[in-house]
Amino acid sequence: DGNKMYHVPAYPVKPISLIGAGDSCNAGFIYAQLSGKTFVDCLRFACATAGVKISSISLPDIAEITSLIAEFPDQIPDTQTE
């Protein structure tokens, strides 16, 4: 509704390289959105995609991303009203 702000905590991963983190986050959000996920689930998927990317030198795949999300089920964006 335009009056909400979301804080999405980062997944606790061991970073190897930060190269591509932003692009991976954006790609993860778009993929989740095109898959019909809710806005909040798109945010979670985007952050998990970036987390997988920075903890590896290879590109993230769906299995790794969903595994990271499953490993931290309480990693849910906080909603605040402005």
Side-chain angles (χ1 to χ4, degrees), residues 12-52:
V13 297
K14 183 177 179 181
I16 293 174
S17 174
L18 301 180
I19 295 172
D23 292 335
S24 295
C25 183
N26 291 335
F29 187 90
I30 292 167
Y31 175 86
Q33 192 174 39
L34 292 173
S35 297
K37 296 187 183 297
T38 66
F39 182 74
V40 170
D41 285 340
C42 288
L43 292 174
R44 290 178 71 200
F45 195 87
C47 288
T49 304
V52 170

